[in-house]
Amino acid sequence: MNMYPTYITLHIIFAGIWLGFVAVELILKGKINKGISVNENVSNYLLFSNFFGLSGSIGILITGILLVLNSGYGFFDMSSNHWLASKQILLVVNLLITGIVLVPAAKKIRKELEDKLEELSSDNLKKIFRANLIINLLVLLNILFAITHRFYS
């Protein structure tokens, strides 16, 4: 039984989940910047960022590996499928940004929320906002590679 259509469908769903965070982020980030229930909205921001980011990125990673293993494509092969290798590199960059910047800053913000500090560290919040912006742009770029690769391959 050919599972490729199932994997591609799941891959698209996980990309949609990951991309769905962009809308949620815009709303929550706007409320945070306006000073509306900052601690509550920062907590929700971290919760949604964690849920959408984790489920989307892990889903994309697993289904992407399954797609490569069940097709004629390879990992990081720039000679014939530069669009796919570019997508794979961007995913690795996203995972690195998440692990190196996003997770440590989010842990610091969570600690501040647990300690019920009056004012949250704006540096950590800015790091999270910047990291999520970069991740979201790379996700959009990845989606554009996926949609347009048939036109330039």
Side-chain angles (χ1 to χ4, degrees):
M1 180 163 130
N2 187 1
M3 293 295 292
Y4 192 83
T6 303
Y7 297 149
I8 197 86
T9 302
L10 288 172
H11 198 69
I12 291 168
I13 290 169
F14 285 120
I17 289 171
W18 205 354
L19 196 58
F21 175 64
V22 174
V24 173
E25 180 187 29
L26 291 173
I27 294 166
L28 290 174
K29 193 173 163 183
K31 288 182 177 182
I32 292 166
N33 287 335
K34 288 180 184 175
I36 302 170
S37 303
V38 174
N39 285 3
E40 181 184 342
N41 283 319
V42 168
S43 181
N44 287 337
Y45 182 88
L46 294 175
L47 177 73
F48 282 111
S49 178
N50 193 24
F51 173 75
F52 283 105
L54 193 60
S55 60
S57 63
I58 298 300
I60 287 287
L61 179 64
I62 291 170
T63 57
I65 290 170
L66 291 171
L67 284 168
V68 168
L69 294 175
N70 288 284
S71 68
Y73 299 128
F75 293 104
F76 304 104
D77 180 17
M78 279 289 192
S79 62
S80 61
N81 300 305
H82 57 281
W83 64 273
L84 182 58
S86 298
K87 284 174 59 61
Q88 292 166 346
I89 291 167
L90 290 177
L91 179 63
V92 170
V93 169
N94 271 346
L95 295 175
L96 287 173
I97 292 170
T98 299
I100 294 171
V101 178
L102 198 60
V103 171
K107 283 183 179 180
K108 290 176 186 173
I109 293 285
R110 280 194 202 285
K111 178 89 169 100
E112 291 174 4
L113 287 170
E114 288 171 4
D115 294 342
K116 300 197 185 323
L117 297 178
E118 287 296 315
E119 200 163 312
L120 298 174
S121 168
S122 64
D123 289 340
N124 288 323
L125 208 49
K126 286 179 184 176
K127 279 183 190 177
I128 290 172
F129 288 163
R130 197 172 329 125
N132 272 329
L133 174 66
I134 292 168
I135 288 169
N136 291 338
L137 290 173
L138 293 177
V139 168
L140 286 171
L141 186 58
N142 249 344
I143 289 171
L144 286 174
F145 279 141
I147 292 170
T148 62
H149 79 273
R150 287 179 174 83
F151 301 121
Y152 60 85
S153 287

